[in-house]
Amino acid sequence: MTRTDILLELLATSGVKGAGTPIVGTTRLQKLLFLVEREEGVQVTEGVDFDFTPYKFGPVSKEIYDDLTKLENLDYISSEPVAEPTTVERDEFGFSFEGLMGDEESTESFEEKRYKITNKGKEWLANRHLSSTEIEKIKKVKGKYGSLSLSDLLHHVYTRYPDMTTASEIKERILGIS
């Protein structure tokens, strides 16, 4: 399995709201991919792995950003901006995504993307003949965690994998530490 296989399968698989349920937000996508690897043991067997490291919002694989760009350029996935944060995100963070990521000029804006697999991506994935066992593991993660609020998803990751929170700038808020 490649990173592309895992990422596309996560987008294609059923969530609580049905098959191919889009994933809103790069932070959510990162955490779901992290859980696919850590909780279900789905590993990249072809090419370079995700290499999750602690960062500002918990575990991050910087390779995912390149993968998303590549897959969008190939028309295997599409993304659309979600102009406003959800109420939960606004209440949770109280500061901008861009501010955390280092863009100090943008203190009020917040833009996330909604990612979904395209028909071309589904066709490519169908021709890969992936292991049904691995597909079931990915489905399990999306079914269990895909519909959680971002706050609940982060809380799960932060409490279960504290070694991945060492660089977090939101740890105290997520864990309710004063």
Side-chain angles (χ1 to χ4, degrees), residues 106-159:
S106 177
T107 58
E108 295 299 322
S109 65
F110 181 100
E111 180 179 285
E112 277 287 11
K113 291 185 176 182
R114 178 180 294 116
Y115 298 98
K116 62 183 177 180
I117 191 166
T118 63
N119 287 333
K120 188 174 179 183
K122 289 175 189 175
E123 289 172 23
W124 185 86
L125 198 56
N127 291 324
R128 292 288 291 162
H129 308 291
L130 302 174
S131 158
S132 59
T133 304
E134 298 301 293
I135 292 170
E136 286 304 313
K137 290 177 179 181
I138 294 168
K139 283 182 180 181
K140 183 177 177 183
V141 168
K142 190 169 184 182
K144 187 173 182 179
Y145 302 110
S147 64
L148 292 179
S149 71
L150 184 58
S151 177
D152 289 345
L153 179 60
L154 288 170
H155 189 269
H156 173 76
V157 171
Y158 277 47
T159 55

Side-chain angles (χ1 to χ4, degrees), residues 53-114:
T53 57
Y55 200 58
K56 295 180 182 188
F57 287 146
V60 166
S61 170
K62 297 190 179 181
E63 294 81 11
I64 292 172
Y65 296 103
D66 291 336
D67 292 346
L68 291 171
T69 300
K70 175 185 82 174
L71 293 173
E72 198 159 6
N73 288 338
L74 291 170
D75 193 33
Y76 288 177
I77 67 169
S78 65
S79 69
E80 59 184 14
V82 179
E84 294 293 322
T86 65
T87 303
V88 172
E89 291 165 333
R90 200 170 22 252
D91 292 345
E92 265 174 17
F93 302 117
F95 41 78
S96 75
F97 177 78
E98 289 83 358
L100 283 174
M101 299 311 285
D103 181 4
E104 298 304 326
E105 293 176 16
S106 177
T107 58
E108 295 299 322
S109 65
F110 181 100
E111 180 179 285
E112 277 287 11
K113 291 185 176 182
R114 178 180 294 116

